[in-house]
Amino acid sequence: MSGLIKSSIARKVVMALSGLFLVIFLVLHVTINLASVVSPDFFNEASHFMGYNPLVQYLMQPILIIGVIVHFVMGFGLELQNKRARGISYVKYSGAANAPWVSRNMIYSGLVILAFLGLHFYDFWVHEMTYKYIEMNPENPTRYYAETVEKFAPFWRTIIYVISFVLLSLHLWHGFSSSFQSMGVNNKYTPAIKSFTKIFAVVVPLAFVFIALYHHLNPITH
Amino acid sequence: MKLYLKIWRQKDAETKGQIVDYTLDGVEGDMSFLEMLDILNEELVSKGEEPVEFDHDCREGICGTCSLQINGEPHGPDRLITTCQLHMRKFNDGDTIVIEPFRAKAFPVIKDLIVDRSSFDRIQQAGGFISVNTSGNTVDANAIPIPKEDADKAMDAATCIGCGACVAACKNASAMLFTSAKVSQFALLPQGQVEAADRVQNMVRQMDLEGFGNCTNTGACEVECPKGISLENIARMNREYLSATTKG
Ligand code: SF4
Ligand code: FES
């Protein structure tokens, strides 16, 4: 087993599994967010549940944070190791001749997403923690919708969110189907997995973009 | 045609190398890339200069000895060929061609364009074989029936000539395509089963020890491989490795 942890294939699989886990989380996230456009009441209910259910708070939330950290730390470590594996750089290297841009620049799309997560955590998570545990405010199951819409009032934040979702799309475009290959799945279903990846990588980030723009353009008027 | 060549020159493993410019006239389209370099070398020798050292042997695409990163791609711009099979008609009069050695920490430069690919040999020695008794009562391999599809896939994997283009092309200098081809050619056949678990673990361990990078599934290796070794082999090796490691 110890060999498994140290080996390049094991690290590949850890990247794949943590990535797929984050993909599942993304589906959950986009579903709840879509509710904010369709039904503010349902959005409030779902957000309140996520914010106060002990299972979500004390089990799923830490697992999610660990998932992000593992995926990032390992991805970054692998990138450094891979750079070292070349040794002396080529004077001329035609990367575009044999591999798509997205696959060669996962570190950059990933870094943008990570920076975005910093802002996103500050916007919502830090806010939540302060509200609940520092200011010790009472539970208010109807506050979430207004808080969310308000976040998208500034143009700059909306734009940063939209750009980050574009980078997320690029990251998923390579990462999703790639994780199957890493886990050893390359068979007659592979073309279907690849097609699904492309649809997923466009539809999910597009939904997030839509939600951000929708709230930016439809502020709550008192 | 007239060509402007930018060639990596390096005296030996210890000395720092650099790109040196050469102009070569009279190159014909039906020459191979290596013949073009032969002509350059004849000119250099007649001028009393050191010829450019490069690897070659069969000059017909079967030995995997020739290498060269040509304009940023291993074995040049054409597909499914080695450098010795690359024709100069792929280039135009007045072109500038950058010629470098395959770059990887695990492929140190010996001189000019020649790199040491013995790391591949060590991966192969770590498990790329089957143990058979050859004391006189060897069973004919063909005595064991093998499904046609498996035999074909094993044969495809076995066409890897160990040239190292996969490593040279990969942005991570990963040797997964080579190693997976060598694992797969046995993993697909009944003769390879007995030592399958040890084979994949030992070969992957050696691959990592040599300092090759980690595969990120860019697929550059498959595109540049002169033998068209498929990424399916890498997935197979991942499967073999996972099942071997988690079981044992
Ligand atoms: S897999 Fe292809 S590119 Fe890599 S060593 Fe074998 S023949 Fe060369
Ligand atoms: S010299 Fe043998 S493959 Fe090119």
Side-chain angles (χ1 to χ4, degrees), chain A residues 1 3-4 6-13 77-79 81-95 97-100 103-105 174 178-179 181-187, chain B residues 19 69 71-73 79 98 100-105 167-173 176 204 207-208 211-220 223-224 231-232 234-235 237-239 241-242 245:
Chain A
M1 272 308 267
L4 185 64
K6 274 184 278 172
S7 90
S8 55
I9 295 184
R11 289 190 292 257
K12 216 172 131 93
V13 172
L78 289 173
E79 180 70 19
Q81 210 172 32
N82 292 344
K83 282 254 147 31
R84 274 202 301 274
R86 171 105 301 143
I88 299 163
S89 318
Y90 285 115
V91 172
K92 183 163 182 183
Y93 179 68
S94 308
N98 46 39
S103 73
R104 288 179 286 119
N105 293 284
H174 173 71
S178 168
S179 55
Q181 162 82 6
S182 290
M183 291 185 303
V185 181
N186 187 331
N187 52 33
Chain B
I19 291 279
Q69 189 83 352
N71 278 345
E73 284 185 80
R79 295 290 173 248
V98 182
E100 296 172 81
F102 282 178
R103 293 282 186 209
K105 212 177 78 196
V167 174
C170 176
K171 83 181 209 359
N172 311 318
M176 288 284 275
V204 169
M207 175 184 82
D208 290 344
F212 290 105
N214 304 284
C215 170
T216 58
N217 305 322
T218 70
V223 174
E224 296 291 355
L231 292 181
E232 269 178 52
I234 297 186
M237 177 162 78
N238 293 345
R239 283 200 297 279
Y241 186 82
L242 286 175
T245 336

Coordinates of all heavy atoms in Angstrom, one line a residue, chain A residues 1 3-4 6-13 77-79 81-95 97-100 103-105 174 178-179 181-187, chain B residues 19 69 71-73 79 98 100-105 167-173 176 204 207-208 211-220 223-224 231-232 234-235 237-239 241-242 245:
Chain A
M1 N 0.8 -1.2 0.0 CA 0.0 0.0 0.0 C 0.8 1.3 0.0 O 0.5 2.3 -0.6 CB -0.9 0.0 1.2 CG -2.2 -0.7 1.1 SD -3.2 -0.1 -0.4 CE -4.2 1.2 0.3
G3 N 3.6 1.8 -1.4 CA 4.0 2.1 -2.8 C 2.9 2.9 -3.5 O 3.2 3.7 -4.4
L4 N 1.7 2.6 -3.2 CA 0.6 3.2 -3.9 C 0.6 4.7 -3.7 O 0.3 5.5 -4.6 CB -0.7 2.6 -3.4 CG -2.0 3.0 -4.1 CD1 -2.0 2.6 -5.6 CD2 -3.2 2.4 -3.4
K6 N 3.1 6.6 -2.9 CA 4.3 7.3 -3.5 C 4.3 7.4 -5.0 O 5.0 8.2 -5.6 CB 5.6 6.7 -3.0 CG 6.0 7.2 -1.6 CD 7.4 6.6 -1.2 CE 7.1 5.3 -0.6 NZ 8.3 4.5 -0.3
S7 N 3.5 6.5 -5.6 CA 3.7 6.3 -7.1 C 2.9 7.4 -7.9 O 1.9 8.0 -7.4 CB 3.2 4.9 -7.5 OG 1.8 5.0 -7.8
S8 N 3.4 7.6 -9.1 CA 2.8 8.6 -10.0 C 1.4 8.2 -10.3 O 0.5 9.1 -10.4 CB 3.7 8.8 -11.2 OG 3.8 7.5 -11.9
I9 N 1.1 6.9 -10.5 CA -0.2 6.5 -10.8 C -1.2 6.8 -9.7 O -2.3 7.2 -9.9 CB -0.2 5.0 -11.3 CG1 0.6 4.9 -12.6 CG2 -1.7 4.6 -11.5 CD1 0.6 3.5 -13.2
A10 N -0.7 6.5 -8.5 CA -1.6 6.8 -7.3 C -2.0 8.3 -7.2 O -3.1 8.6 -7.0 CB -0.9 6.4 -6.0
R11 N -1.0 9.1 -7.5 CA -1.2 10.6 -7.4 C -2.2 11.0 -8.5 O -3.1 11.9 -8.2 CB 0.1 11.3 -7.5 CG 1.0 11.2 -6.3 CD 2.1 12.1 -6.3 NE 3.0 11.8 -7.4 CZ 4.2 11.2 -7.1 NH1 4.6 10.9 -5.9 NH2 5.0 10.9 -8.1
K12 N -2.1 10.4 -9.6 CA -3.0 10.6 -10.7 C -4.4 10.2 -10.3 O -5.4 11.0 -10.6 CB -2.6 9.6 -11.8 CG -2.7 10.0 -13.2 CD -2.0 8.9 -14.1 CE -2.9 8.5 -15.2 NZ -2.6 9.3 -16.4
V13 N -4.6 9.1 -9.6 CA -5.9 8.7 -9.2 C -6.5 9.6 -8.1 O -7.6 9.9 -8.1 CB -5.8 7.2 -8.7 CG1 -7.1 6.7 -8.1 CG2 -5.5 6.3 -9.9
G77 N 1.8 20.4 -6.6 CA 3.0 19.6 -6.4 C 3.4 18.9 -7.7 O 4.6 18.8 -8.1
L78 N 2.4 18.3 -8.3 CA 2.7 17.5 -9.6 C 3.2 18.5 -10.6 O 4.1 18.1 -11.4 CB 1.4 16.9 -10.1 CG 0.8 15.7 -9.2 CD1 -0.5 15.3 -9.7 CD2 1.8 14.6 -9.3
E79 N 2.7 19.7 -10.7 CA 3.1 20.6 -11.7 C 4.6 20.9 -11.5 O 5.4 21.0 -12.5 CB 2.3 21.9 -11.6 CG 2.6 23.0 -12.6 CD 2.3 22.6 -14.1 OE1 1.5 21.7 -14.3 OE2 2.9 23.2 -15.0
Q81 N 6.8 19.1 -10.0 CA 7.6 17.9 -10.3 C 7.7 17.7 -11.8 O 8.8 17.4 -12.3 CB 6.9 16.7 -9.7 CG 7.7 15.6 -9.3 CD 7.0 14.5 -8.5 OE1 5.8 14.3 -8.8 NE2 7.6 13.9 -7.6
N82 N 6.6 18.0 -12.5 CA 6.6 17.8 -14.0 C 7.6 18.8 -14.6 O 8.2 18.5 -15.6 CB 5.2 18.0 -14.5 CG 4.3 16.8 -14.1 OD1 4.8 15.8 -13.6 ND2 3.0 17.0 -14.2
K83 N 7.6 20.0 -14.1 CA 8.5 21.0 -14.7 C 10.0 20.6 -14.5 O 10.8 20.7 -15.4 CB 8.4 22.4 -13.9 CG 7.1 23.2 -14.4 CD 7.6 24.4 -15.2 CE 6.6 24.7 -16.3 NZ 5.2 24.5 -16.1
R84 N 10.2 20.0 -13.3 CA 11.6 19.5 -13.1 C 12.0 18.3 -14.0 O 13.1 18.1 -14.3 CB 11.7 19.1 -11.6 CG 12.1 20.2 -10.6 CD 12.7 19.6 -9.4 NE 11.8 18.7 -8.7 CZ 10.9 19.0 -7.8 NH1 10.7 20.3 -7.5 NH2 10.1 18.1 -7.2
A85 N 11.0 17.5 -14.3 CA 11.2 16.3 -15.1 C 11.7 16.7 -16.5 O 12.3 15.8 -17.2 CB 10.0 15.5 -15.2
R86 N 11.5 17.9 -17.0 CA 12.0 18.3 -18.3 C 13.5 18.5 -18.2 O 14.2 18.3 -19.2 CB 11.2 19.5 -18.8 CG 11.7 20.1 -20.1 CD 10.9 19.8 -21.3 NE 10.8 18.4 -21.7 CZ 9.7 17.8 -22.2 NH1 8.6 18.5 -22.4 NH2 9.7 16.5 -22.4
G87 N 13.9 19.1 -17.1 CA 15.3 19.5 -17.0 C 15.5 20.8 -17.8 O 15.0 21.8 -17.5
I88 N 16.3 20.7 -18.9 CA 16.6 21.9 -19.7 C 15.4 22.1 -20.6 O 14.9 21.2 -21.3 CB 17.8 21.7 -20.5 CG1 19.0 21.5 -19.6 CG2 18.1 22.9 -21.5 CD1 20.2 20.9 -20.2
S89 N 14.9 23.3 -20.7 CA 13.7 23.6 -21.6 C 14.1 23.6 -23.0 O 15.2 23.8 -23.4 CB 13.1 25.0 -21.3 OG 13.1 25.2 -19.9
Y90 N 13.1 23.3 -23.9 CA 13.3 23.4 -25.3 C 13.4 24.8 -25.7 O 12.8 25.7 -25.2 CB 12.1 22.8 -26.0 CG 12.0 21.3 -26.0 CD1 11.0 20.6 -25.3 CD2 12.9 20.5 -26.7 CE1 10.9 19.2 -25.3 CE2 12.9 19.1 -26.6 CZ 11.8 18.5 -26.0 OH 11.7 17.1 -26.0
V91 N 14.3 25.0 -26.8 CA 14.3 26.4 -27.4 C 13.0 26.6 -28.1 O 12.4 27.6 -28.1 CB 15.5 26.5 -28.3 CG1 15.5 27.8 -29.1 CG2 16.8 26.4 -27.5
K92 N 12.5 25.5 -28.8 CA 11.3 25.6 -29.5 C 10.4 24.4 -29.1 O 10.9 23.3 -29.2 CB 11.5 25.6 -31.0 CG 10.2 25.8 -31.8 CD 10.4 26.2 -33.2 CE 9.0 26.4 -33.9 NZ 9.1 26.7 -35.3
Y93 N 9.2 24.7 -28.6 CA 8.3 23.6 -28.2 C 6.9 23.8 -28.7 O 6.3 24.8 -28.4 CB 8.3 23.5 -26.6 CG 7.4 22.5 -26.1 CD1 7.7 21.1 -26.3 CD2 6.2 22.8 -25.4 CE1 6.8 20.1 -25.8 CE2 5.4 21.8 -24.9 CZ 5.7 20.5 -25.1 OH 4.8 19.5 -24.6
S94 N 6.5 23.0 -29.6 CA 5.2 23.2 -30.3 C 4.1 22.4 -29.6 O 3.6 21.5 -30.1 CB 5.3 22.8 -31.8 OG 6.4 23.4 -32.4
G95 N 3.8 22.9 -28.4 CA 2.7 22.2 -27.6 C 1.4 22.1 -28.3 O 0.7 21.1 -28.2
A97 N 0.8 21.7 -31.3 CA 0.7 20.7 -32.4 C 0.2 19.4 -32.0 O -0.3 18.6 -32.9 CB 2.1 20.6 -33.0
N98 N 0.3 19.0 -30.8 CA -0.1 17.7 -30.4 C -1.1 17.6 -29.2 O -1.4 16.5 -28.8 CB 1.1 16.8 -30.2 CG 2.2 17.5 -29.3 OD1 1.8 18.2 -28.4 ND2 3.4 17.4 -29.7
A99 N -1.4 18.7 -28.6 CA -2.3 18.6 -27.4 C -3.1 19.9 -27.3 O -2.6 21.0 -27.5 CB -1.5 18.4 -26.1
P100 N -4.4 19.8 -26.9 CA -5.2 21.0 -26.8 C -4.8 21.9 -25.7 O -4.2 21.5 -24.7 CB -6.6 20.4 -26.5 CG -6.5 19.0 -26.2 CD -5.1 18.5 -26.7
S103 N -5.7 21.2 -22.0 CA -5.1 20.1 -21.3 C -3.7 20.5 -20.8 O -3.1 20.0 -19.9 CB -4.9 18.8 -22.2 OG -4.0 19.1 -23.2
R104 N -3.1 21.5 -21.5 CA -1.7 21.9 -21.2 C -1.7 23.0 -20.1 O -0.6 23.3 -19.6 CB -1.0 22.3 -22.4 CG -0.6 21.2 -23.4 CD 0.1 21.7 -24.6 NE -0.8 22.4 -25.5 CZ -0.7 23.7 -25.9 NH1 0.3 24.4 -25.4 NH2 -1.6 24.2 -26.7
N105 N -2.8 23.6 -19.9 CA -2.8 24.7 -19.0 C -3.8 24.6 -17.8 O -4.3 25.5 -17.3 CB -3.2 26.0 -19.8 CG -2.1 26.3 -20.8 OD1 -1.0 26.8 -20.4 ND2 -2.3 25.9 -22.0
H174 N -11.2 19.5 -19.9 CA -10.2 18.5 -19.9 C -10.3 17.5 -18.7 O -10.2 16.3 -18.8 CB -8.8 19.1 -19.9 CG -7.7 18.1 -19.7 ND1 -7.3 17.2 -20.7 CD2 -6.9 17.8 -18.6 CE1 -6.4 16.4 -20.3 NE2 -6.1 16.7 -19.0
S178 N -10.8 13.3 -18.4 CA -9.5 12.8 -18.1 C -9.4 12.0 -16.8 O -8.6 11.1 -16.7 CB -8.6 14.1 -18.0 OG -7.4 13.8 -17.4
S179 N -10.3 12.3 -15.9 CA -10.3 11.5 -14.6 C -10.7 10.1 -14.8 O -10.2 9.2 -14.1 CB -11.2 12.2 -13.6 OG -12.5 12.3 -14.0
Q181 N -9.9 8.3 -17.6 CA -8.7 7.7 -18.1 C -7.7 7.4 -17.0 O -7.1 6.3 -16.9 CB -8.1 8.7 -19.2 CG -6.6 8.4 -19.5 CD -6.4 7.3 -20.6 OE1 -7.4 6.8 -21.1 NE2 -5.2 7.0 -20.8
S182 N -7.6 8.4 -16.1 CA -6.6 8.2 -14.9 C -7.0 6.9 -14.1 O -6.2 6.3 -13.6 CB -6.6 9.4 -14.0 OG -6.0 10.4 -14.7
M183 N -8.3 6.7 -14.0 CA -8.8 5.5 -13.2 C -8.8 4.3 -14.0 O -9.3 3.2 -13.5 CB -10.1 5.8 -12.5 CG -10.0 6.9 -11.5 SD -11.5 7.2 -10.6 CE -12.6 7.6 -12.0
G184 N -8.3 4.3 -15.2 CA -8.2 3.1 -16.0 C -9.4 2.8 -16.9 O -9.5 1.8 -17.5
V185 N -10.3 3.8 -17.0 CA -11.5 3.6 -17.8 C -11.2 4.2 -19.2 O -11.2 5.4 -19.4 CB -12.7 4.3 -17.2 CG1 -14.0 4.0 -18.1 CG2 -13.0 3.8 -15.8
N186 N -11.0 3.3 -20.2 CA -10.8 3.7 -21.6 C -11.4 2.5 -22.4 O -10.7 1.6 -22.6 CB -9.4 4.0 -21.9 CG -9.2 4.6 -23.3 OD1 -10.0 4.3 -24.2 ND2 -8.2 5.4 -23.5
N187 N -12.6 2.6 -22.7 CA -13.3 1.5 -23.4 C -14.4 2.0 -24.4 O -14.3 3.2 -24.8 CB -13.9 0.5 -22.4 CG -14.8 1.3 -21.4 OD1 -15.4 2.3 -21.7 ND2 -14.8 0.8 -20.1
Chain B
I19 N 22.6 26.8 -29.0 CA 22.2 26.7 -30.4 C 23.2 27.3 -31.3 O 23.7 28.4 -31.1 CB 20.8 27.4 -30.6 CG1 19.7 26.6 -29.8 CG2 20.4 27.6 -32.0 CD1 19.1 25.4 -30.5
Q69 N 14.3 16.5 -31.7 CA 13.1 17.4 -31.6 C 13.2 18.4 -32.7 O 14.2 19.2 -32.7 CB 13.1 18.1 -30.2 CG 11.9 18.9 -29.8 CD 10.8 18.0 -29.3 OE1 10.9 16.8 -29.3 NE2 9.8 18.6 -28.8
N71 N 11.7 21.5 -34.9 CA 10.8 22.6 -34.8 C 9.7 22.3 -33.7 O 8.5 22.5 -33.9 CB 10.1 22.8 -36.1 CG 10.9 23.7 -37.0 OD1 11.8 24.3 -36.6 ND2 10.6 23.6 -38.3
G72 N 10.2 21.8 -32.5 CA 9.3 21.7 -31.4 C 8.6 20.4 -31.3 O 7.7 20.2 -30.4
E73 N 8.8 19.5 -32.3 CA 8.0 18.2 -32.2 C 9.0 17.1 -32.4 O 9.9 17.1 -33.3 CB 7.0 18.2 -33.4 CG 5.8 19.0 -33.1 CD 4.8 18.7 -34.2 OE1 4.1 17.7 -34.2 OE2 4.7 19.5 -35.2
R79 N 3.4 12.7 -39.1 CA 2.8 11.8 -38.1 C 3.2 10.3 -38.5 O 3.4 10.0 -39.6 CB 1.3 11.9 -38.1 CG 0.8 13.3 -37.6 CD 1.1 13.4 -36.2 NE 0.8 14.8 -35.7 CZ 1.7 15.7 -35.3 NH1 3.0 15.4 -35.3 NH2 1.3 16.9 -34.9
V98 N 14.6 24.3 -36.3 CA 15.3 24.2 -35.0 C 15.4 22.7 -34.7 O 14.5 22.0 -34.7 CB 14.5 24.9 -33.9 CG1 15.2 24.9 -32.6 CG2 14.2 26.4 -34.3
E100 N 16.8 20.0 -31.8 CA 17.3 19.9 -30.5 C 17.2 18.4 -30.1 O 16.5 17.6 -30.6 CB 16.3 20.7 -29.5 CG 16.3 22.2 -29.7 CD 15.3 22.8 -28.9 OE1 15.5 23.0 -27.7 OE2 14.2 23.1 -29.4
P101 N 18.0 18.1 -29.0 CA 17.8 16.7 -28.5 C 16.5 16.5 -27.8 O 15.9 17.5 -27.4 CB 19.0 16.6 -27.5 CG 19.3 18.0 -27.1 CD 19.0 18.9 -28.3
F102 N 16.0 15.3 -27.6 CA 14.9 15.0 -26.8 C 15.2 15.5 -25.4 O 16.3 15.2 -24.9 CB 14.6 13.5 -26.7 CG 13.9 13.0 -27.9 CD1 13.6 11.6 -28.0 CD2 13.5 13.8 -29.0 CE1 12.9 11.1 -29.1 CE2 12.8 13.2 -30.1 CZ 12.6 11.9 -30.2
R103 N 14.3 16.3 -24.8 CA 14.6 16.8 -23.5 C 13.8 16.1 -22.3 O 12.6 16.1 -22.3 CB 14.2 18.3 -23.4 CG 15.0 19.2 -24.3 CD 16.3 19.5 -23.7 NE 17.1 20.5 -24.4 CZ 18.4 20.6 -24.5 NH1 19.1 19.7 -23.8 NH2 19.0 21.5 -25.2
A104 N 14.6 15.6 -21.4 CA 14.0 15.0 -20.2 C 15.2 14.9 -19.2 O 16.3 14.6 -19.6 CB 13.3 13.7 -20.4
K105 N 14.8 15.1 -17.9 CA 15.9 14.9 -16.9 C 16.4 13.4 -17.0 O 17.6 13.2 -16.8 CB 15.3 15.2 -15.5 CG 16.4 15.8 -14.6 CD 15.7 16.1 -13.3 CE 15.5 14.9 -12.4 NZ 14.6 15.0 -11.3
V167 N 8.0 10.8 -24.4 CA 8.6 11.6 -23.3 C 8.9 13.0 -23.8 O 8.6 14.0 -23.2 CB 9.9 10.9 -22.8 CG1 10.5 11.8 -21.7 CG2 9.5 9.5 -22.2
A168 N 9.5 13.0 -25.0 CA 10.0 14.3 -25.6 C 8.8 15.2 -25.9 O 8.9 16.4 -25.7 CB 10.8 14.1 -26.9
A169 N 7.7 14.6 -26.3 CA 6.5 15.5 -26.7 C 5.8 15.9 -25.4 O 5.2 17.0 -25.4 CB 5.6 14.7 -27.5
C170 N 5.7 15.1 -24.4 CA 4.9 15.4 -23.2 C 5.4 16.6 -22.5 O 6.6 16.7 -22.2 CB 5.0 14.2 -22.3 SG 4.1 14.4 -20.7
K171 N 4.5 17.5 -22.1 CA 4.9 18.7 -21.4 C 5.4 18.3 -20.0 O 6.1 19.1 -19.4 CB 3.7 19.7 -21.3 CG 2.7 19.4 -20.2 CD 1.6 20.4 -20.2 CE 1.0 20.8 -18.9 NZ 1.4 20.1 -17.6
N172 N 5.1 17.1 -19.6 CA 5.6 16.7 -18.2 C 6.7 15.7 -18.3 O 7.2 15.2 -17.3 CB 4.4 16.0 -17.5 CG 3.1 16.8 -17.5 OD1 3.2 18.0 -17.3 ND2 2.0 16.1 -17.8
A173 N 7.2 15.5 -19.5 CA 8.3 14.5 -19.8 C 7.9 13.1 -19.1 O 8.7 12.6 -18.4 CB 9.6 15.0 -19.3
M176 N 4.8 7.4 -19.5 CA 3.7 6.5 -19.3 C 3.3 5.7 -20.6 O 3.0 4.6 -20.5 CB 2.4 7.3 -18.9 CG 2.5 7.8 -17.4 SD 2.2 6.4 -16.2 CE 0.4 6.4 -16.2
V204 N 6.5 0.5 -13.0 CA 6.1 1.8 -12.6 C 7.1 2.4 -11.6 O 7.4 3.6 -11.6 CB 4.6 1.8 -12.1 CG1 4.3 3.2 -11.5 CG2 3.7 1.5 -13.2
M207 N 10.1 3.5 -13.4 CA 9.8 4.7 -14.2 C 9.8 6.0 -13.3 O 10.4 7.0 -13.6 CB 8.4 4.5 -14.8 CG 7.8 5.7 -15.5 SD 6.1 5.4 -16.1 CE 5.2 5.8 -14.6
D208 N 9.2 5.9 -12.1 CA 9.2 7.0 -11.2 C 10.6 7.3 -10.7 O 11.0 8.5 -10.6 CB 8.3 6.7 -10.0 CG 6.8 6.7 -10.4 OD1 6.5 7.2 -11.5 OD2 6.0 6.2 -9.6
G211 N 12.9 9.5 -12.7 CA 12.6 11.0 -12.7 C 11.8 11.5 -13.9 O 11.8 12.7 -14.2
F212 N 11.0 10.6 -14.5 CA 10.1 11.0 -15.5 C 8.9 11.8 -14.8 O 8.6 11.5 -13.6 CB 9.5 9.8 -16.3 CG 10.5 9.2 -17.2 CD1 11.1 8.0 -16.9 CD2 10.9 9.8 -18.4 CE1 12.1 7.4 -17.7 CE2 11.9 9.2 -19.2 CZ 12.4 8.0 -18.9
G213 N 8.2 12.6 -15.5 CA 7.1 13.4 -14.9 C 5.8 12.6 -14.8 O 5.8 11.4 -15.2
N214 N 4.8 13.2 -14.3 CA 3.5 12.6 -14.1 C 2.6 12.9 -15.3 O 2.5 14.0 -15.7 CB 2.9 13.1 -12.8 CG 3.8 13.0 -11.6 OD1 3.9 11.9 -11.1 ND2 4.4 14.1 -11.2
C215 N 1.9 11.8 -15.7 CA 1.0 11.9 -16.8 C -0.2 12.8 -16.4 O -0.8 12.6 -15.3 CB 0.5 10.5 -17.2 SG -0.8 10.5 -18.3
T216 N -0.6 13.8 -17.3 CA -1.8 14.5 -17.0 C -2.8 14.4 -18.2 O -3.6 15.2 -18.4 CB -1.5 16.0 -16.8 OG1 -0.8 16.5 -17.9 CG2 -0.6 16.2 -15.6
N217 N -2.7 13.3 -18.9 CA -3.6 13.0 -20.0 C -3.7 14.0 -21.1 O -4.8 14.3 -21.6 CB -5.0 12.7 -19.5 CG -5.0 11.6 -18.4 OD1 -4.2 10.6 -18.5 ND2 -5.8 11.7 -17.3
T218 N -2.6 14.7 -21.5 CA -2.8 15.7 -22.6 C -2.9 15.0 -23.9 O -3.5 15.5 -24.8 CB -1.5 16.6 -22.7 OG1 -0.4 15.8 -23.2 CG2 -1.2 17.2 -21.3
G219 N -2.4 13.8 -24.0 CA -2.5 13.0 -25.3 C -1.4 13.3 -26.3 O -1.5 12.8 -27.4
A220 N -0.5 14.2 -25.9 CA 0.6 14.6 -26.9 C 1.4 13.4 -27.3 O 1.8 13.2 -28.5 CB 1.5 15.6 -26.3
V223 N -0.2 11.3 -30.1 CA -0.1 12.0 -31.4 C 1.3 11.9 -32.0 O 1.4 11.7 -33.3 CB -0.5 13.5 -31.2 CG1 -0.3 14.3 -32.5 CG2 -1.9 13.7 -30.8
E224 N 2.3 12.0 -31.2 CA 3.7 12.0 -31.7 C 4.3 10.7 -31.9 O 5.4 10.5 -32.5 CB 4.6 12.9 -30.8 CG 4.1 14.4 -30.8 CD 4.4 15.1 -32.1 OE1 5.0 14.5 -33.0 OE2 4.0 16.3 -32.2
L231 N -3.5 5.6 -26.2 CA -3.7 5.9 -24.8 C -4.4 4.8 -24.0 O -4.4 4.8 -22.8 CB -4.5 7.2 -24.6 CG -3.9 8.6 -25.0 CD1 -4.8 9.7 -24.8 CD2 -2.5 8.8 -24.3
E232 N -5.1 4.0 -24.7 CA -5.8 2.8 -24.1 C -4.8 2.0 -23.3 O -5.1 1.5 -22.2 CB -6.3 1.9 -25.2 CG -7.7 2.1 -25.6 CD -8.1 1.2 -26.7 OE1 -7.9 -0.1 -26.5 OE2 -8.6 1.6 -27.7
I234 N -2.3 3.2 -21.6 CA -2.0 3.9 -20.3 C -3.2 3.6 -19.3 O -3.0 3.3 -18.2 CB -1.9 5.4 -20.5 CG1 -0.6 5.7 -21.3 CG2 -1.8 6.1 -19.1 CD1 -0.3 7.2 -21.5
A235 N -4.4 3.6 -19.8 CA -5.6 3.2 -19.0 C -5.4 1.8 -18.5 O -5.7 1.5 -17.3 CB -6.9 3.4 -19.7
M237 N -2.6 0.1 -18.1 CA -1.6 0.1 -17.0 C -2.1 0.6 -15.7 O -1.8 0.1 -14.6 CB -0.4 0.9 -17.5 CG 0.7 0.9 -16.4 SD 2.3 1.3 -17.0 CE 2.2 3.1 -17.1
N238 N -2.9 1.7 -15.8 CA -3.5 2.3 -14.5 C -4.3 1.2 -13.8 O -4.3 1.0 -12.6 CB -4.3 3.5 -14.8 CG -3.5 4.7 -15.3 OD1 -2.3 4.7 -15.2 ND2 -4.1 5.7 -15.9
R239 N -5.2 0.5 -14.6 CA -6.0 -0.6 -14.1 C -5.2 -1.7 -13.5 O -5.4 -2.1 -12.3 CB -6.9 -1.2 -15.2 CG -8.0 -0.4 -15.7 CD -9.0 -1.4 -16.4 NE -8.5 -2.0 -17.6 CZ -8.5 -1.4 -18.8 NH1 -8.8 -0.2 -19.0 NH2 -8.0 -2.1 -19.9
Y241 N -2.2 -1.6 -12.5 CA -1.4 -1.1 -11.3 C -2.3 -1.0 -10.1 O -2.0 -1.4 -9.0 CB -0.8 0.3 -11.6 CG 0.1 0.8 -10.5 CD1 1.4 0.3 -10.4 CD2 -0.4 1.6 -9.5 CE1 2.2 0.8 -9.3 CE2 0.4 2.1 -8.4 CZ 1.7 1.6 -8.4 OH 2.5 2.0 -7.4
L242 N -3.5 -0.4 -10.3 CA -4.5 -0.3 -9.1 C -4.9 -1.6 -8.6 O -4.9 -1.8 -7.4 CB -5.7 0.5 -9.6 CG -5.4 2.0 -9.8 CD1 -6.7 2.7 -10.3 CD2 -5.0 2.6 -8.4
T245 N -1.8 -3.2 -6.8 CA -1.4 -2.6 -5.5 C -2.4 -2.8 -4.4 O -2.1 -2.9 -3.3 CB -1.1 -1.1 -5.7 OG1 -0.8 -0.9 -7.1 CG2 0.0 -0.6 -4.9

